[in-house]
Amino acid sequence: MSTTEQPTTTFGTWDVYEDRDLGGGKREMVLNMGPQHPSTHGVMRLLLTLNGETIIHADPLIGYLHRGVEKIGENKRYTQFTPWTDRTDYTAAPLNNLGYILAVEKLCGIVAPERAQYIRVIMAELSRIAAHMVWLGTHALDIGALSMALYTFIEREKILDIFEEFCGARLTTNMMEVGGFSRDLKPSTIEKIERLLVEFPPAQQDWEDLLSDNPIWIARTRGVGVIEPEAALDYGLTGACLRGSGINYDVRKAQPYLIYDRLDFEVPLGTNGDVMDRYLVRMEELRQSLRIIRQCLDQMPTDGPIMANESNYVIPPHHTVLRTAEDMQRHFVWVIKGFNPPKGEVYVAIEHSKGELGHYIVSDGSPMPYRMRIRTPDFVNLQVLPYMAQGAMLADAVALIGTIDIVLGSVDR
Amino acid sequence: MADQQDDLQPTATPDDVAVIDEDNPWLTDIAREQLVESAHDKTGLARIHPSLVLTGFWGPLAPDHPAFVALSAAFGDAVVDISFFRDEVTIRLKPHIWADAHLLLRDDQDLSYRLLTDLTAVDMLRLRAAPRFDVVSTLYSIKRRWRLRLKAGIEDGEAIETLTSVYAAAGWLEREVYDMFGITFDGHPDLRRILLADDWDEGHPLRKDYPIRGYTPYVEPGFEDEAVPRVKDFRRL
Amino acid sequence: MENRFEENVLTTSVDWVFNWARRSSLWWLQFGLACCAIEMIAAMQPRFDMGERFGMLFRASPRQADLMIVAGTVTKKMAPVVRTLYDQMSEPKWVISMGSCANVGGPFDTYAVVQGVDQVIPVDVYVPGCPPVPEGLYYGVLELQNKVIKYDRVLRKEGREAAEAQREEDRAATAAAMDRPVTAAAR
């Protein structure tokens, strides 16, 4: 039996653990790391073909969380679709919102005012930090450092408090709107962010003291899951998986959006392309995110509009809706019918915590998108798992899943 | 479902969008429209923020775009046209040069579109008469910091070449297109369903004639004869 | 007997002790599917500390669990897995359906999503929210503890069949309050 034969039905191979005798002392075992498993970060199924403890082939089977978000996108108005973008990558919901809203704004040809852009960058970077908290906690938990999950989630709770104060929800924020924001950043929220900027670096230092020089951590991550730069490009990797192999591609620097071209930050690059390098890249990204937030708070204009003036595409401000007849009618039409963007198609990419998140929207002029394609980074990044897993040990499988940093809502949509 | 979108029709029906040129049925309606619109309506462009038009993140917005020039030189007529929207560049090809065109763009020393960022399809059922699908790929060049979109129109049932020989990233992306649209990719090493169950026999969901709620509700295996009908739902969508 | 050794010994009825033990050490099956899983994890973290405070512990294997918190969307591809895991749990077992997706399919009324996990397995407590705040999950767990007490009381007095019948009545009452039909699989 060749090693590339894979079972054809999912349910049929449920509890089958296959043991193949290839003769000449060689044996192969197909092990099912099933959809319910504490280390697969959600419902992913991994069919591992093992020779002893060595993995010969790893076949990720996904789709256990496929909910048809793209089909929903074709049946909802542009104004209504933002909550579903929250639920694709639920660890970093504001970043998903941002990607979608930037695509709609480009389609309509409008730009949010400056203060709104600064607030968007602050929320995006906070969301990136929050997503990395989940990544670090679960990744370290899987490898064995059980207390890391407890430490990182404390900091994540602080960020979720900031989100809750700003938009009302902790996790699925539905934060960004076409044209800017309806509600401004309160002074108490800014105070919370300032306090986070003070409290976060010592906490991060604690984690690095626990992990970075730890011989067990080094033994489990150094040299494991190496991706060569050529292979990384070939597999279409983006984000820390690509930068860990040394290739400098960060959408915030390469094709700046919002006000990233005014901010001063660095893009960390790895050298070896192993799990340790990707870990170091993401830890450094945390520091750079804090740096960005610090600059935003310093540079942000203290007053000014936070919602664009384009009357066609933007929700009218609350105080005029309740006081003038025109804006009440406009509000009604905007909510019930939506707006008609121009016909065309756009692809807008942002730097999500996991890589490049792209939204490809095809518009036929109606209030609903004709095609809403969400190019999620984990879906494309997860393809590299069989490549990394060849020749690795069984115990490395969890480290490899963690290092790609997948969230199944984003993989399956 | 069609009846639920009656009062949300697009502002123009496919019939009066553009006259389809008999000689060149592959020309995009959107490209034609842009030419017509931009000739008459200047205010639309005026509303666009200057930074969006002049970003240059996709290359020059003119037919002397290096990718278009290189592709036309290599493949001639099979490169149908180039169109622009905001600052984006879309090149439409004929499907028989799909893989070769990508190989050319990837290996070109100057352009070097090394990264395949997206490969998807659009069901053009409501926008044009034929062909039915548009396979769309988005490329990115790290060297030039340019993106590019390539499109090819294929009929229902027609297959198109795979890009797995050019970019390994196309492996799962093409599997997803097959799963959602039913488009077969010739030469793909492992074309099977990825997001839906392997034994899903109810069709390809992202086609325009597939209802959003699907055809059958879930019934627990073993309880088929006692199945309870789906809870009645008064929402429109 | 009760008041004899008042200051030194805590005397109580056997019932109460069993009830308390059973409800205070519910081990739950870690079954996070989607976004609600992150809130479930957050409920276990130091800020909300659902685990150690209630004596609860998450187990990866269904054989060692007596509570299953279905947190997230159940898709048609995943539904057989849910049923298999439920069948592998040993009696007595309870199910909390956490979040809108597990309750009624949530915002995903599409071809691929089962409209509520109660189409697949019987559910005792429904926790609303999208995702429910960890305090919401707490409330669900406390309600479940009340159900455990009731089950135990009936079990001690009248035996297993009566207890199971009472649970089914409870579930039917909950489903009726939500205007949902009780499917065959949920019995």
Side-chain angles (χ1 to χ4, degrees):
Chain A
M1 231 198 243
S2 81
T3 55
T4 51
E5 253 187 58
Q6 294 298 330
T8 45
T9 60
T10 53
F11 198 92
T13 57
W14 218 230
D15 34 21
V16 165
Y17 136 86
E18 268 183 67
D19 207 343
R20 301 170 182 151
D21 198 340
L22 300 176
K26 280 204 197 162
R27 291 177 67 169
E28 256 177 32
M29 182 172 88
V30 176
L31 189 64
N32 175 41
M33 215 162 127
Q36 186 264 339
H37 190 280
S39 303
T40 59
H41 299 274
V43 283
M44 181 178 77
R45 188 174 169 207
L46 206 50
L47 280 179
L48 296 165
T49 311
L50 301 167
N51 178 10
E53 283 258 338
T54 323
I55 301 176
I56 299 172
H57 184 71
D59 185 21
L61 298 178
I62 57 173
Y64 290 94
L65 200 56
H66 174 67
R67 299 175 278 197
V69 171
E70 296 187 0
K71 186 82 181 177
I72 290 176
E74 296 172 10
N75 289 280
K76 298 286 171 212
R77 297 183 273 281
Y78 290 97
T79 55
Q80 284 177 314
F81 185 64
T82 324
W84 280 272
T85 59
D86 282 333
R87 284 147 179 88
T88 48
D89 182 352
Y90 33 83
T91 53
L95 275 169
N96 289 71
N97 295 150
L98 180 68
Y100 169 69
I101 291 294
L102 283 178
V104 175
E105 286 186 350
K106 185 174 185 185
L107 182 66
C108 302
I110 61 178
V111 171
E114 208 178 324
R115 190 176 154 84
Q117 299 209 6
Y118 275 100
I119 301 177
R120 278 182 180 174
V121 170
I122 293 175
M123 291 298 153
E125 295 302 319
L126 283 174
S127 170
R128 194 187 312 275
I129 298 174
H132 281 329
M133 299 288 94
V134 178
W135 161 77
L136 182 58
T138 48
H139 184 44
L141 178 72
D142 290 340
I143 291 188
L146 297 171
S147 42
M148 285 305 297
L150 300 171
Y151 292 156
T152 60
F153 271 80
I154 297 176
E155 307 303 318
R156 185 179 149 88
E157 289 291 331
K158 295 180 187 160
I159 297 178
L160 294 183
D161 275 348
I162 295 172
F163 287 160
E164 190 171 6
E165 193 168 335
F166 182 60
C167 69
R170 284 160 47 103
L171 198 76
T172 49
T173 49
N174 191 13
M175 191 189 267
M176 313 274 173
E177 299 175 47
V178 178
F181 292 100
S182 294
R183 285 168 296 240
D184 205 345
L185 205 53
K186 293 199 288 258
S188 53
T189 319
I190 298 184
E191 201 187 292
K192 277 194 174 146
I193 302 176
E194 300 262 5
R195 203 163 357 129
L196 179 79
L197 291 177
V198 167
E199 292 175 355
F200 195 88
Q204 190 181 353
Q205 192 54 49
D206 270 346
W207 311 332
E208 300 210 309
D209 290 341
L210 277 175
L211 289 178
S212 298
D213 290 328
N214 189 333
I216 304 178
W217 183 261
I218 294 176
R220 286 217 58 180
T221 57
R222 191 44 95 198
V224 171
V226 177
I227 308 179
E228 282 87 18
E230 290 295 317
L233 282 176
D234 207 22
Y235 274 98
L237 302 183
T238 47
C241 294
L242 186 66
R243 294 196 284 274
S245 301
I247 298 182
N248 185 356
Y249 171 45
D250 183 332
V251 186
R252 298 174 292 176
K253 286 282 195 195
Q255 304 197 331
Y257 51 96
L258 296 176
I259 35 104
Y260 280 107
D261 43 355
R262 300 187 207 176
L263 300 172
D264 182 30
F265 63 100
E266 282 158 23
V267 174
L269 296 176
T271 42
N272 301 331
D274 56 8
V275 174
M276 175 61 124
D277 272 358
R278 290 190 280 274
Y279 155 79
L280 291 171
V281 162
R282 288 186 181 110
M283 295 299 267
E284 185 59 36
E285 274 179 17
L286 289 173
R287 274 189 273 269
Q288 298 300 319
S289 285
L290 291 172
R291 198 168 149 191
I292 292 174
I293 299 176
R294 177 77 268 160
Q295 288 172 50
C296 281
L297 288 175
D298 293 338
Q299 290 179 15
M300 192 158 69
T302 43
D303 54 5
I306 47 167
M307 182 61 100
N309 242 345
E310 300 293 323
S311 55
N312 279 5
Y313 306 119
V314 157
I315 192 173
H318 198 69
H319 59 273
T320 55
V321 166
L322 295 176
R323 289 181 179 84
T324 63
E326 298 87 14
D327 274 356
M328 174 164 279
Q329 288 159 14
R330 262 187 38 217
H331 182 270
F332 182 81
V333 170
W334 190 90
V335 171
I336 300 296
K337 174 179 159 273
F339 54 81
N340 285 39
K343 281 193 244 204
E345 50 189 4
V346 287
Y347 177 84
V348 169
I350 63 162
E351 182 70 23
H352 188 73
S353 64
K354 296 166 172 60
E356 172 187 323
L357 173 70
H359 284 80
Y360 172 58
I361 305 182
V362 176
S363 154
D364 60 352
S366 73
M368 298 187 178
Y370 187 77
R371 172 85 169 102
M372 167 67 70
R373 157 78 180 164
I374 308 176
R375 182 257 185 226
T376 48
D378 347 26
F379 181 73
V380 184
N381 287 0
L382 189 54
Q383 288 182 79
V384 86
L385 184 65
Y387 173 83
M388 284 199 293
Q390 260 190 344
M393 302 298 238
L394 177 59
D396 292 331
V398 286
L400 297 177
I401 297 172
T403 188
I404 305 177
D405 192 8
I406 54 166
V407 164
L408 263 300
S410 178
V411 172
D412 291 338
R413 277 158 279 128
Chain B
M1 296 178 204
D3 54 303
Q4 289 172 343
Q5 295 175 30
D6 272 336
D7 48 331
L8 292 169
Q9 287 292 342
T11 47
T13 58
D15 288 322
D16 53 354
V17 156
V19 174
I20 294 185
D21 195 349
E22 264 91 81
D23 293 329
N24 200 349
W26 302 84
L27 208 56
T28 54
D29 301 324
I30 291 177
R32 281 197 184 283
E33 266 204 322
Q34 277 174 17
L35 293 169
V36 167
E37 213 179 33
S38 59
H40 294 295
D41 177 19
K42 296 294 181 196
T43 55
L45 284 174
R47 203 196 277 135
I48 299 170
H49 196 272
S51 69
L52 283 179
V53 181
L54 302 175
T55 48
F57 286 157
W58 292 65
L61 301 176
D64 61 353
H65 191 284
F68 187 62
V69 166
L71 285 174
S72 302
F75 300 107
D77 255 350
V79 180
V80 173
D81 73 347
I82 181 170
S83 58
F84 312 102
F85 181 73
R86 302 286 181 247
D87 64 340
E88 308 199 352
V89 176
T90 307
I91 297 180
R92 179 172 282 279
L93 313 166
K94 294 223 173 113
H96 63 89
I97 56 159
W98 185 241
D100 297 325
H102 282 85
L103 193 63
L104 180 84
L105 290 174
R106 188 195 76 173
D107 291 339
D108 186 313
Q109 290 307 311
D110 184 39
L111 294 170
S112 165
Y113 284 102
R114 292 296 308 279
L115 209 59
L116 176 74
T117 53
D118 194 16
L119 175 61
T120 180
V122 184
D123 185 355
M124 306 294 274
L125 190 63
R126 289 209 312 257
L127 290 185
R128 68 173 181 224
R132 173 139 186 210
F133 295 111
D134 255 354
V135 181
V136 180
S137 79
T138 314
L139 303 174
Y140 179 73
S141 161
I142 295 187
K143 184 170 168 189
R144 286 276 201 146
R145 290 160 44 165
W146 280 356
R147 279 188 210 282
L148 183 66
R149 185 182 302 127
L150 295 171
K151 281 194 180 191
I154 58 173
E155 287 290 352
D156 192 4
E158 193 184 323
I160 191 172
E161 285 170 284
T162 183
L163 290 183
T164 42
S165 50
V166 183
Y167 299 102
W172 278 21
L173 290 163
E174 289 179 350
R175 273 178 71 185
E176 188 193 347
V177 172
Y178 165 69
D179 194 5
M180 292 286 119
F181 290 94
I183 297 173
T184 341
F185 289 88
D186 277 336
H188 193 281
D190 187 21
L191 197 66
R192 53 191 162 112
R193 287 195 181 259
I194 186 170
L195 292 177
L196 296 169
D198 276 349
D199 50 359
W200 183 273
D201 53 1
E202 298 175 24
H204 301 277
L206 271 176
R207 294 181 170 215
K208 285 294 177 183
D209 46 3
Y210 194 95
I212 183 173
R213 291 212 182 95
Y215 291 115
T216 56
Y218 179 75
V219 176
E220 181 62 32
F223 294 94
E224 281 89 348
D225 27 321
E226 297 186 46
V228 172
R230 198 184 176 119
V231 175
K232 180 122 178 73
D233 193 0
F234 294 98
R235 292 171 298 159
R236 282 185 85 233
L237 278 170
Chain C
M1 175 70 177
E2 271 88 274
N3 291 331
R4 218 98 162 263
F5 308 103
E6 228 168 287
E7 274 125 48
N8 300 331
V9 177
L10 178 68
T11 60
T12 178
S13 65
V14 173
D15 263 357
W16 192 90
V17 171
F18 271 93
N19 274 346
W20 166 79
R22 203 171 247 153
R23 77 164 182 265
S24 305
S25 66
L26 284 169
W27 283 8
W28 90 79
L29 176 67
Q30 184 181 2
F31 199 51
L33 295 166
C35 345
C36 285
I38 305 289
E39 287 293 49
M40 189 169 72
I41 295 173
M44 277 157 37
Q45 300 305 321
R47 186 177 183 185
F48 296 104
D49 200 14
M50 189 168 75
E52 292 299 320
R53 257 213 278 175
F54 292 157
M56 294 167 78
L57 186 64
F58 65 89
R59 308 299 298 169
S61 162
R63 307 275 184 202
Q64 301 163 0
D66 39 22
L67 168 66
M68 183 169 171
I69 304 184
V70 181
T73 322
V74 182
T75 54
K76 288 185 187 170
K77 196 171 179 182
M78 191 66 189
V81 184
V82 178
R83 184 78 214 181
T84 312
L85 288 167
Y86 180 75
D87 291 335
Q88 285 178 349
M89 284 165 69
S90 43
E91 295 280 345
K93 51 192 173 188
W94 286 273
V95 174
I96 292 183
S97 153
M98 176 184 177
S100 320
C101 288
N103 290 347
V104 292
F108 300 102
D109 194 1
T110 62
Y111 51 88
V113 171
V114 176
Q115 302 295 302
V117 79
D118 53 6
Q119 314 277 320
V120 181
I121 57 177
V123 172
D124 291 296
V125 174
Y126 298 83
V127 180
C130 192
V133 193
E135 286 96 339
L137 186 59
Y138 266 108
Y139 186 53
V141 167
L142 292 173
E143 284 295 318
L144 188 80
Q145 287 187 346
N146 290 343
K147 291 197 186 243
V148 172
I149 295 172
K150 209 176 359 170
Y151 177 86
D152 268 350
R153 200 169 288 148
V154 179
L155 186 69
R156 304 255 144 242
K157 302 220 161 46
E158 294 168 30
R160 150 115 342 121
E161 284 80 29
E164 291 294 333
Q166 173 262 318
R167 266 180 79 188
E168 267 198 42
E169 258 178 54
D170 233 357
R171 282 192 217 124
T174 323
M178 285 182 9
D179 272 335
R180 279 177 82 70
V182 181
T183 55
R187 270 185 252 122

